[in-house]
Amino acid sequence: MIIFLLPRRTEGGWTYTSTVGVALHRDGRPNMSDGQIVVDGLVKHYRQVRAVDGLRFVVRSGKVTGFLGPNGAGKTTTLRMILNLVRPTAGMATIGGVRYPDLRDPIHTVGAVLEASSAHRGRTARNHLRVISTAAGLPASRADEVLELVGLAPAARRKFKGYSLGMRQRLGIATAMLGDPTTLILDEPANGLDPEGIRWMRNFLKGLAAEGKTVFVSSHLLSEMELLADEVIIIAAGRLVTQGPMEQIIKSSTAQTTVRVRTPQADTLTLSLKELGGSVTAGDTGALLVTGLEPPAVGAAALRAGVELHELVAEQPDLEQVFLQLTEGKAVIR
Amino acid sequence: MTRAIRSELLKIRTTNTWWLMGLGMVLFTGLALLINGLNAHFELQPQTIDDDAPAEIREEMIREENERYSEVHSAAGIAKIAANMYTSGQFFGVLFIMILGGLIVTNEYFHQTATATFLTIPHRTKVIVAKLFAAVVLGFGGWLLTTVINLATTAAVFNYEHISMSLDRWDVHRTILLNLAAFAVWAILGVALGTLIRSQIGTVVTGCVVYLIGLAAAEVVFGLVHAYLIKEDWVITAEVIVPSIASMIMVTPGEMYPHAAPQWVGAAVLIGYALVAGVIGTLITRRRDIS
Ligand SMILES: Nc1ncnc2c1ncn2[C@@H]1O[C@H](COP(=O)(O)OP(=O)(O)O)[C@@H](O)[C@H]1O
Ligand SMILES: [Mg+2]
């Protein structure tokens, strides 16, 4: 076990914070080479708000991790602190065990697509990418490669001011892919994309994760996350609410499975279901909504009561419900 | 570091601003050349003395005119005219360069490219130093452009006037080099101003005010102080602390006005401002949240 004592400047002067070394993650994997993100006690205070309030989590490689939270939860601030764009009030973040400014080749390690990140209106997309390639010591041909990758090659020599929102998002991804990084960080990448663009983005990011890269995507669009993310980290009001694999988060929630049944003998079935301890409410168009009983139990009860069933559907609580339930009361927009 | 500088230069080359500013510089240089050329032409002509004047005054006037004429036509006199021609367009050229220097920085915030820039080069001091270099290169470019135009035009004018271009004289060389210094220092001041202010319009307006109005305002303020408060000559000498006056003192051979500070003090003051503003701007940028 390695424990570092880090001198750190805080509002009241110097304090020493112990930081558990990167060598001991719960699963004991070495993490020097892969691009996993470790957020360790990040805090950011603005004048009136505690935008981020002691966040601690790990984003693993080879998966798409969703970073969820209502507006104002502190997602953007957290991502910007990971990338050394915003100075944390306390805490620190590492990528592959290294702080962002200490990375030898930052854009070869991390690619980022952030909000409030743009290109000069009068510059062409290709020149925008060449400016960044030059700064990173990459050949100019790399600009053409990434433009091809995101499907912007035909518009490469057009000025940025003529770009649609979707094209701008694609250029953002092209920029992030310049250094062929092992870690990708995206802030609300689905914003402004049409359904086709969103599908493209989803497949693109899943493909990158399948290659073993770390993909960390923030969003408040929960339905989109449900299709994209393998893992989720949910925050509200700058604090961690929960984290874990997508299905587990949905299952472990107290939001119950609802079974929808349809039968011509509704009264008989309601009676026998209530005897078994289920609660039954009338749904739309004559269906019954049963909670407190699993679907097989409902089916068995119907068989025993000799009722004819026209429909029996288990409705899983989706992330949307889970999310609202978890962040309830904390989700006030700050 | 070379990558950072090359990237900054590419940023400048891939937008319209540089050649628009260049065009502006060419126009103002042409205007200045026209005025300076006409001035030179009339200065080089012998003045006709009024025939109606009383004899003794007339004699005095002829003597003075002969003296003036031979002074203007001496090697030093012609060199002075030449030096003035070679630095035509300096006043507005330097202003344009300062604005360009400011834009190099403020563009990053205005167009939200600071994020990409600092993601690629997380060491912000490096980015600012690269911008300073790029600004100096721009300053050099502005100087080269105006100086080439000035040399070509002066060659034609002086050929017509049958006088020497004086390109073998050190005082002429010095004036041309000090002109370069002015372009470089104001480019740096522009970058420093941009890092301090960050807002595009704020930087351009502040730069113009400091450069254009600062000159007149300082003369009024120092003049009043000298006339009513402290009737000492050092007050007039102290005008050099105003950047635009320091710049003019730096590039003007000899004493710019009675009791003016020496040329090197003007240079030192400007470099001092560039250093202080640059260091403060860098420190601020290092701490700043980019969002
Ligand atoms: N530069 C800033 N100055 C002051 N408050 C800020 C600043 N940036 C963000 N905030 C505040 O911090 C909170 C978190 O913002 P943000 O990280 O953008 O949330 P999210 O991305 O989850 O919507 C919000 O209340 C926001 O108003
Ligand atoms: Mg956000």
Side-chain angles (χ1 to χ4, degrees), chain A residues 46 49 51 70-77 334, chain B residues 291:
Chain A
Y46 289 113
V49 255
N71 279 323
K75 303 180 295 292
T76 301
T77 308
R334 293 178 297 159
Chain B
S291 53

PDB file of all heavy atoms in Angstrom, chain A residues 46 49 51 70-77 334, chain B residues 291, ligand 1:
ATOM      1  N   TYR A  46     -17.786  27.670  -6.139  1.00  0.00           N
ATOM      2  CA  TYR A  46     -17.858  28.998  -6.727  1.00  0.00           C
ATOM      3  C   TYR A  46     -18.403  29.901  -5.639  1.00  0.00           C
ATOM      4  O   TYR A  46     -18.727  29.426  -4.559  1.00  0.00           O
ATOM      5  CB  TYR A  46     -18.756  29.002  -7.968  1.00  0.00           C
ATOM      6  CG  TYR A  46     -18.134  28.295  -9.141  1.00  0.00           C
ATOM      7  CD1 TYR A  46     -18.668  27.110  -9.623  1.00  0.00           C
ATOM      8  CD2 TYR A  46     -16.999  28.805  -9.752  1.00  0.00           C
ATOM      9  CE1 TYR A  46     -18.086  26.459 -10.701  1.00  0.00           C
ATOM     10  CE2 TYR A  46     -16.422  28.154 -10.830  1.00  0.00           C
ATOM     11  CZ  TYR A  46     -16.966  26.985 -11.294  1.00  0.00           C
ATOM     12  OH  TYR A  46     -16.389  26.342 -12.352  1.00  0.00           O
ATOM     13  N   VAL A  49     -22.130  28.737  -4.955  1.00  0.00           N
ATOM     14  CA  VAL A  49     -22.478  27.318  -5.046  1.00  0.00           C
ATOM     15  C   VAL A  49     -21.311  26.394  -4.762  1.00  0.00           C
ATOM     16  O   VAL A  49     -20.170  26.703  -5.100  1.00  0.00           O
ATOM     17  CB  VAL A  49     -22.994  26.940  -6.457  1.00  0.00           C
ATOM     18  CG1 VAL A  49     -24.474  26.744  -6.445  1.00  0.00           C
ATOM     19  CG2 VAL A  49     -22.559  27.934  -7.503  1.00  0.00           C
ATOM     20  N   ALA A  51     -20.383  23.649  -6.453  1.00  0.00           N
ATOM     21  CA  ALA A  51     -20.719  23.001  -7.724  1.00  0.00           C
ATOM     22  C   ALA A  51     -20.410  21.507  -7.654  1.00  0.00           C
ATOM     23  O   ALA A  51     -21.169  20.679  -8.138  1.00  0.00           O
ATOM     24  CB  ALA A  51     -19.952  23.653  -8.861  1.00  0.00           C
ATOM     25  N   PRO A  70     -28.968  15.717 -13.079  1.00  0.00           N
ATOM     26  CA  PRO A  70     -29.804  16.789 -13.619  1.00  0.00           C
ATOM     27  C   PRO A  70     -28.972  18.029 -13.932  1.00  0.00           C
ATOM     28  O   PRO A  70     -27.811  18.110 -13.537  1.00  0.00           O
ATOM     29  CB  PRO A  70     -30.800  17.066 -12.496  1.00  0.00           C
ATOM     30  CG  PRO A  70     -30.191  16.512 -11.262  1.00  0.00           C
ATOM     31  CD  PRO A  70     -29.290  15.398 -11.682  1.00  0.00           C
ATOM     32  N   ASN A  71     -29.548  18.968 -14.617  1.00  0.00           N
ATOM     33  CA  ASN A  71     -28.828  20.210 -14.922  1.00  0.00           C
ATOM     34  C   ASN A  71     -28.307  20.860 -13.653  1.00  0.00           C
ATOM     35  O   ASN A  71     -29.009  20.935 -12.654  1.00  0.00           O
ATOM     36  CB  ASN A  71     -29.753  21.195 -15.641  1.00  0.00           C
ATOM     37  CG  ASN A  71     -29.839  20.858 -17.117  1.00  0.00           C
ATOM     38  OD1 ASN A  71     -28.848  20.444 -17.712  1.00  0.00           O
ATOM     39  ND2 ASN A  71     -31.015  21.030 -17.687  1.00  0.00           N
ATOM     40  N   GLY A  72     -27.074  21.312 -13.708  1.00  0.00           N
ATOM     41  CA  GLY A  72     -26.486  21.990 -12.552  1.00  0.00           C
ATOM     42  C   GLY A  72     -25.941  21.028 -11.512  1.00  0.00           C
ATOM     43  O   GLY A  72     -25.543  21.435 -10.425  1.00  0.00           O
ATOM     44  N   ALA A  73     -25.904  19.742 -11.828  1.00  0.00           N
ATOM     45  CA  ALA A  73     -25.426  18.747 -10.866  1.00  0.00           C
ATOM     46  C   ALA A  73     -23.915  18.836 -10.660  1.00  0.00           C
ATOM     47  O   ALA A  73     -23.391  18.387  -9.649  1.00  0.00           O
ATOM     48  CB  ALA A  73     -25.797  17.346 -11.330  1.00  0.00           C
ATOM     49  N   GLY A  74     -23.218  19.407 -11.616  1.00  0.00           N
ATOM     50  CA  GLY A  74     -21.769  19.538 -11.495  1.00  0.00           C
ATOM     51  C   GLY A  74     -20.995  18.643 -12.455  1.00  0.00           C
ATOM     52  O   GLY A  74     -19.796  18.448 -12.291  1.00  0.00           O
ATOM     53  N   LYS A  75     -21.659  18.128 -13.484  1.00  0.00           N
ATOM     54  CA  LYS A  75     -20.996  17.231 -14.436  1.00  0.00           C
ATOM     55  C   LYS A  75     -19.901  17.965 -15.218  1.00  0.00           C
ATOM     56  O   LYS A  75     -18.758  17.522 -15.272  1.00  0.00           O
ATOM     57  CB  LYS A  75     -22.022  16.648 -15.433  1.00  0.00           C
ATOM     58  CG  LYS A  75     -23.167  15.903 -14.776  1.00  0.00           C
ATOM     59  CD  LYS A  75     -24.140  15.349 -15.802  1.00  0.00           C
ATOM     60  CE  LYS A  75     -24.880  16.408 -16.590  1.00  0.00           C
ATOM     61  NZ  LYS A  75     -25.835  17.216 -15.828  1.00  0.00           N
ATOM     62  N   THR A  76     -20.287  19.092 -15.825  1.00  0.00           N
ATOM     63  CA  THR A  76     -19.320  19.840 -16.631  1.00  0.00           C
ATOM     64  C   THR A  76     -18.132  20.269 -15.780  1.00  0.00           C
ATOM     65  O   THR A  76     -16.974  20.144 -16.190  1.00  0.00           O
ATOM     66  CB  THR A  76     -20.007  21.063 -17.259  1.00  0.00           C
ATOM     67  OG1 THR A  76     -21.083  20.602 -18.074  1.00  0.00           O
ATOM     68  CG2 THR A  76     -19.046  21.869 -18.109  1.00  0.00           C
ATOM     69  N   THR A  77     -18.416  20.770 -14.597  1.00  0.00           N
ATOM     70  CA  THR A  77     -17.341  21.227 -13.714  1.00  0.00           C
ATOM     71  C   THR A  77     -16.393  20.071 -13.389  1.00  0.00           C
ATOM     72  O   THR A  77     -15.170  20.230 -13.419  1.00  0.00           O
ATOM     73  CB  THR A  77     -17.946  21.817 -12.426  1.00  0.00           C
ATOM     74  OG1 THR A  77     -18.912  22.796 -12.790  1.00  0.00           O
ATOM     75  CG2 THR A  77     -16.880  22.460 -11.563  1.00  0.00           C
ATOM     76  N   ARG A 334     -29.815  24.460  -9.620  1.00  0.00           N
ATOM     77  CA  ARG A 334     -29.147  25.474  -8.798  1.00  0.00           C
ATOM     78  C   ARG A 334     -28.677  26.635  -9.638  1.00  0.00           C
ATOM     79  O   ARG A 334     -28.336  26.482 -10.776  1.00  0.00           O
ATOM     80  CB  ARG A 334     -27.961  24.832  -8.089  1.00  0.00           C
ATOM     81  CG  ARG A 334     -28.411  23.834  -7.079  1.00  0.00           C
ATOM     82  CD  ARG A 334     -27.233  23.179  -6.438  1.00  0.00           C
ATOM     83  NE  ARG A 334     -26.457  22.432  -7.408  1.00  0.00           N
ATOM     84  CZ  ARG A 334     -25.197  22.095  -7.231  1.00  0.00           C
ATOM     85  NH1 ARG A 334     -24.580  22.457  -6.141  1.00  0.00           N
ATOM     86  NH2 ARG A 334     -24.545  21.404  -8.142  1.00  0.00           N
TER      87      ARG A 334
ATOM     88  N   SER B 291     -13.992  27.947 -18.768  1.00  0.00           N
ATOM     89  CA  SER B 291     -15.314  27.309 -18.886  1.00  0.00           C
ATOM     90  C   SER B 291     -16.255  28.175 -19.694  1.00  0.00           C
ATOM     91  O   SER B 291     -15.891  29.251 -20.112  1.00  0.00           O
ATOM     92  CB  SER B 291     -15.913  27.058 -17.510  1.00  0.00           C
ATOM     93  OG  SER B 291     -15.911  28.236 -16.753  1.00  0.00           O
TER      94      SER B 291
HETATM   95  N1  LIG C   1     -17.875  29.660 -13.714  1.00  0.00           N
HETATM   96  C1  LIG C   1     -18.859  29.480 -12.824  1.00  0.00           C
HETATM   97  N2  LIG C   1     -19.120  30.429 -11.892  1.00  0.00           N
HETATM   98  C2  LIG C   1     -20.094  30.264 -10.990  1.00  0.00           C
HETATM   99  N3  LIG C   1     -20.879  29.168 -10.911  1.00  0.00           N
HETATM  100  C3  LIG C   1     -20.689  28.192 -11.801  1.00  0.00           C
HETATM  101  C4  LIG C   1     -19.667  28.288 -12.809  1.00  0.00           C
HETATM  102  N4  LIG C   1     -19.688  27.160 -13.559  1.00  0.00           N
HETATM  103  C5  LIG C   1     -20.688  26.405 -13.055  1.00  0.00           C
HETATM  104  N5  LIG C   1     -21.287  27.009 -12.003  1.00  0.00           N
HETATM  105  C6  LIG C   1     -22.388  26.458 -11.194  1.00  0.00           C
HETATM  106  O1  LIG C   1     -21.990  25.197 -10.737  1.00  0.00           O
HETATM  107  C7  LIG C   1     -23.068  24.291 -10.787  1.00  0.00           C
HETATM  108  C8  LIG C   1     -22.706  23.077 -11.593  1.00  0.00           C
HETATM  109  O2  LIG C   1     -22.608  23.442 -12.963  1.00  0.00           O
HETATM  110  P1  LIG C   1     -22.226  22.415 -14.115  1.00  0.00           P
HETATM  111  O3  LIG C   1     -20.987  21.722 -13.715  1.00  0.00           O
HETATM  112  O4  LIG C   1     -22.216  23.168 -15.376  1.00  0.00           O
HETATM  113  O5  LIG C   1     -23.452  21.394 -14.069  1.00  0.00           O
HETATM  114  P2  LIG C   1     -23.940  20.363 -15.187  1.00  0.00           P
HETATM  115  O6  LIG C   1     -22.899  20.274 -16.230  1.00  0.00           O
HETATM  116  O7  LIG C   1     -24.139  19.100 -14.439  1.00  0.00           O
HETATM  117  O8  LIG C   1     -25.222  20.892 -15.709  1.00  0.00           O
HETATM  118  C9  LIG C   1     -24.252  25.062 -11.316  1.00  0.00           C
HETATM  119  O9  LIG C   1     -25.018  25.486 -10.220  1.00  0.00           O
HETATM  120  C10 LIG C   1     -23.638  26.225 -12.022  1.00  0.00           C
HETATM  121  O10 LIG C   1     -24.497  27.328 -11.964  1.00  0.00           O
END
